[in-house]
Amino acid sequence: MNREEIIDKLLSGQIKLYQIDNYTKTATEALDIRREFIEKYSKCELEHIGKYSLDMETAMDKNIENPIGTVQIPIGVAGPVKINGEYANDDFFIPLATSEGALIASINRGFSAITASGGVNARVIADKMTRAPVIKTKSVKESIDVKRWFEDNFDIIKEIAEKTTSHGKLIKIDPIIIVGNYVYPRFLYSTGDSMGMNMVTIATEKVLEKLYADLGVQAIALSGNLCVDKKPAAINQIEGRGKTVVADILIPENIVKSKLKSTAKAIEEVNIAKNLIGSAAAGSMAYNAHYANMIGAIFLATGQDEAHVVEGSLGITTAEDRDGDLYFSVNMPDLPLATVGGGTRLETANEALNILGVNGTDGVNKFAEIVISTVLAGELSLVSALAAGHLAKAHQELGR
Ligand code: NAP
């Protein structure tokens, strides 16, 4: 079949979008035909979606189905920022993909204050990716038997899980929650430099096969939402998920005045009134001003799973007036992150990770410290701007 015939058959519903590849020599030829069909069907031109340099043949293996092109988002850099981490110890320029004008300028202002103050202290304090299936039993009594099976057989379970991966390690299964005839064991793994969701899902599935063989009980779903993946949740905030990261800085009074155009007292007051009391009044789970802005821009630039922005948005900001100097900290309990696997293999993501020097193996902890340092800068800048009453003015000047 030639191109026109394939498009006609698509329009008449005789073949499906995913079947185009059966009639073409290459995946990119199929991609072009798919886009042309959508142009005809939707009566529009897709000139820009059709321009790209990514290797879509490779992307189709793991990253995308039914591709028609790519999306382009402007990418800028903020920096340099001095980071005093355990893994990240240098001055960095940070790639950020966003269409929100003023975001990079604002982060840059935070970086400038940070670097002039000697740098931000950043640490990874925990590392665990979770998967929690839901298992159905007949009764509470049987649920307790299942819970005991997980507790009594941990060594065998660990061996089964770790046979499926050379980088994943099962740390523990905790908590194991029983709700009537449903059991939710929360598996915690370390996943090396990968974010790990595929890895831990495959490993957990193998363990459930053994559970079925031993007790004859079945999982209803491989994810029972106690994980909790891609949703804001108290269990992730308290127990942590992905990387748990903390960062702080002491900014001398003269730099608070000259760079942040405010005072430590005013910044402390805004932080309490907005990030702490305001968030509590709203029943918000995120006691911060805008972690999601920095997380979103870094995630898009570096090929992270963008749905995890919702998890990265959790965390608490503190600010203290220390005799005119400003103590400022951010905490991020739930930061799923990767320098290997998933979208990090896409060419633009690879390049962005290279800017940070965190591409591939042994990069993810350094990357986590860089991410939280960027979050601290953006948070510091926005809270300071509010304190100084500068927010509206900055937006006006930048024409947005
Ligand atoms: P992945 O690309 O599926 O797996 C990572 C791979 O990298 C593993 O095969 C691992 O091998 C290998 N690897 C090589 N060097 C490594 C290193 N230094 N550290 C860790 N692994 C290394 O990625 P994933 O992180 O498991 O999963 C991410 C993907 O899952 C994303 O595309 C995301 O969108 C998707 N996702 C899946 C689910 C789900 O429920 N399945 C949920 C949310 C997101 P070994 O395993 O042999 O060690």
Side-chain angles (χ1 to χ4, degrees):
M1 252 191 304
N2 65 29
R3 205 180 176 98
E4 281 69 35
E5 285 169 333
I6 296 173
I7 291 173
D8 284 345
K9 284 207 185 314
L10 283 166
L11 285 166
S12 64
Q14 285 171 275
I15 60 171
K16 306 263 186 232
L17 280 177
Y18 63 83
Q19 292 171 323
I20 302 175
D21 298 79
N22 300 341
Y23 305 99
T24 57
K25 285 200 188 74
T26 63
T28 45
E29 199 188 331
L31 182 153
D32 287 339
I33 293 174
R34 201 175 291 112
R35 190 178 59 255
E36 212 176 308
F37 158 71
I38 294 292
E39 285 180 329
K40 286 216 163 96
Y41 183 86
S42 305
K43 299 182 182 56
C44 62
E45 278 186 24
L46 302 178
E47 183 196 342
H48 295 284
I49 286 177
K51 280 184 191 153
Y52 59 88
S53 63
L54 295 186
D55 177 354
M56 294 301 279
E57 306 250 353
T58 309
M60 276 188 74
D61 276 348
K62 295 221 165 166
N63 298 104
I64 186 83
E65 300 82 36
N66 282 347
I68 59 170
T70 67
V71 67
Q72 300 176 52
I73 300 168
I75 182 167
V77 284
V81 58
K82 184 169 174 45
I83 301 177
N84 308 317
E86 192 180 341
Y87 303 91
N89 233 303
D90 210 338
D91 291 356
F92 295 89
F93 284 96
I94 315 297
L96 297 149
T98 184
S99 54
E100 183 182 349
L103 180 63
I104 290 181
S106 173
I107 294 170
N108 240 344
R109 192 169 80 116
F111 280 169
S112 168
I114 286 170
T115 304
S117 306
V120 47
N121 309 304
R123 291 288 183 281
V124 180
I125 55 170
D127 172 15
K128 47 181 172 287
M129 183 40 71
T130 60
R131 183 43 101 205
V134 47
I135 297 146
K136 188 168 186 176
T137 67
K138 291 192 188 70
S139 61
V140 162
K141 189 177 168 299
E142 198 179 39
S143 293
I144 293 168
D145 290 343
V146 170
K147 183 172 191 285
R148 287 218 180 103
W149 182 88
F150 281 111
E151 289 163 350
D152 295 346
N153 293 290
F154 182 74
D155 290 345
I156 299 163
I157 290 169
K158 183 173 166 65
E159 201 182 312
I160 294 169
E162 292 179 7
K163 264 198 187 134
T164 65
T165 164
S166 49
H167 292 87
K169 302 282 171 238
L170 181 62
I171 305 165
K172 59 179 178 173
I173 307 172
D174 181 49
I176 303 172
I177 291 183
I178 293 175
V179 183
N181 60 332
Y182 296 104
V183 188
Y184 302 82
R186 193 172 196 246
F187 287 66
L188 272 64
Y189 296 85
S190 66
T191 58
D193 296 286
S194 70
M195 180 273 281
M197 272 319 298
N198 281 337
M199 187 190 280
V200 307
T201 302
I202 294 163
T204 306
E205 192 168 23
K206 274 281 163 217
V207 174
L208 295 174
E209 286 172 16
K210 170 78 174 151
L211 172 73
Y212 183 68
D214 282 8
L215 298 188
V217 287
Q218 251 176 345
I220 292 209
L222 206 39
S223 166
N225 267 16
L226 195 84
C227 312
V228 174
D229 191 34
K230 301 182 175 175
K231 290 161 286 280
I235 195 167
N236 290 353
Q237 196 159 30
I238 297 162
E239 295 283 325
R241 186 170 198 259
K243 309 293 174 249
T244 298
V245 208
V246 291
D248 72 357
I249 189 164
L250 186 67
I251 303 175
E253 185 173 12
N254 64 319
I255 293 168
V256 177
K257 273 197 188 128
S258 62
K259 302 262 184 206
L260 301 174
K261 316 286 183 215
S262 187
T263 63
K265 190 172 184 313
I267 291 170
E268 181 189 275
E269 188 175 21
V270 167
N271 190 64
I272 292 171
K274 172 188 168 66
N275 285 343
L276 306 187
I277 302 174
S279 301
S284 168
M285 295 197 65
Y287 287 66
N288 63 68
H290 71 145
Y291 290 9
N293 260 333
M294 283 66 75
I295 297 293
I298 295 181
F299 273 27
L300 282 175
T302 58
Q304 307 302 304
D305 188 325
E306 67 270 28
H308 283 145
V309 173
V310 72
E311 295 183 47
S313 73
L314 298 175
I316 303 169
T317 296
T318 72
E320 251 177 58
D321 173 11
R322 292 191 180 170
D323 296 328
D325 297 342
L326 173 69
Y327 174 79
F328 198 86
S329 86
V330 292
N331 112 314
M332 302 186 69
D334 182 3
L335 180 65
L337 214 57
T339 55
V340 166
T344 65
R345 64 167 71 84
L346 298 174
E347 289 79 355
T348 52
N350 242 275
E351 289 177 6
L353 290 167
N354 281 336
I355 294 174
L356 301 171
V358 297
N359 200 352
T361 303
D362 294 334
V364 79
N365 287 326
K366 183 176 171 187
F367 187 29
E369 291 179 349
I370 292 170
V371 171
I372 194 163
S373 299
T374 309
V375 166
L376 186 143
E379 192 73 359
L380 176 67
S381 183
L382 177 53
V383 176
S384 307
L386 289 167
H390 278 180
L391 187 64
K393 194 163 163 266
H395 273 263
Q396 249 174 19
E397 276 173 9
L398 288 160
R400 290 139 189 152

